[in-house]
Amino acid sequence: MRRTEKNRNSSFGMGVGATSILMIFVLLCLVVFAMLSLVNANADKKLNDRLANRTKAYYTACDKAEALLEDLDGHLEQLYLENPEAPDYYQACLSYLDGAGGVAAPEKDGTGVRFSFSVIINDEQHLSVTASVPKEPETGGSYYTVRAWQTMARQAWEPDTKLPVMESEMPELLMPE
């Protein structure tokens, strides 16, 4: 009977050292995953902050553009009340828009006057608005029609066409003698 107990105790199994090493490995894995989660959460927060700032700047620019259009609508209504005849109203609109601050040079088209203006969003973008004033406005409606409302880059994009991969490191391989 003693022999069978000894055989039971000497059977193959994990000792205290192997269990400790396994626990240390599991603990290290948990710490590494916790750190990765923290880094990821911090990056997400920074991205969300930038997105929130960009969105706020966009809607601030939209508010400015709408205020400019509302002011413009008031002036166009006043011009229409002063000049109810279509040719006189058309000429009055042309002269008003030509001198209005922030409005690009108005252009005549077949249906009225087309004009545009832009509002700065940030260092990289601006809001470009194109609208038109019909020769004969509809009663009770707006005195203009928005044709385009778009975000545009403030500078033209220039691609980087250079590709100095190894030129500075090993010029003798790239340039034959």
Side-chain angles (χ1 to χ4, degrees), residues 132-172:
S132 64
V133 177
K135 287 183 179 179
E136 296 181 29
E138 296 177 17
T139 56
S142 179
Y143 289 89
Y144 64 90
T145 303
V146 175
R147 300 288 180 198
W149 186 282
Q150 58 189 355
T151 303
M152 301 183 75
R154 291 184 67 186
Q155 295 178 354
W157 179 71
E158 295 180 25
D160 184 12
T161 57
K162 298 178 289 235
L163 190 60
V165 177
M166 295 178 59
E167 187 175 314
S168 63
E169 295 174 7
M170 300 178 161
E172 65 273 1

Side-chain angles (χ1 to χ4, degrees), residues 32-171:
V32 167
F33 288 139
M35 292 302 293
L36 288 174
S37 295
L38 184 65
V39 168
N40 192 25
N42 191 28
D44 285 347
K45 182 188 179 310
K46 288 179 183 178
L47 178 66
N48 285 336
D49 289 345
R50 280 188 306 208
L51 183 62
N53 289 338
R54 186 171 287 224
T55 303
K56 182 179 178 182
Y58 172 77
Y59 283 111
T60 301
C62 285
D63 288 344
K64 289 179 184 177
E66 288 176 3
L68 188 75
L69 285 173
E70 184 179 342
D71 184 49
L72 178 73
D73 195 45
H75 285 291
L76 292 175
E77 180 182 21
Q78 187 65 30
L79 288 174
Y80 184 70
L81 293 175
E82 292 171 1
N83 306 297
E85 297 296 320
D88 296 334
Y89 172 69
Y90 183 68
Q91 286 303 321
C93 287
L94 271 174
S95 62
Y96 171 73
L97 290 172
D98 197 28
V103 175
E107 303 170 358
K108 297 178 186 178
D109 64 8
T111 60
V113 180
R114 183 174 288 240
F115 66 95
S116 62
F117 63 91
S118 65
V119 178
I120 295 173
I121 296 174
N122 55 29
D123 294 339
E124 301 167 356
Q125 296 177 323
H126 70 274
L127 179 66
S128 177
V129 179
T130 303
S132 64
V133 177
K135 287 183 179 179
E136 296 181 29
E138 296 177 17
T139 56
S142 179
Y143 289 89
Y144 64 90
T145 303
V146 175
R147 300 288 180 198
W149 186 282
Q150 58 189 355
T151 303
M152 301 183 75
R154 291 184 67 186
Q155 295 178 354
W157 179 71
E158 295 180 25
D160 184 12
T161 57
K162 298 178 289 235
L163 190 60
V165 177
M166 295 178 59
E167 187 175 314
S168 63
E169 295 174 7
M170 300 178 161

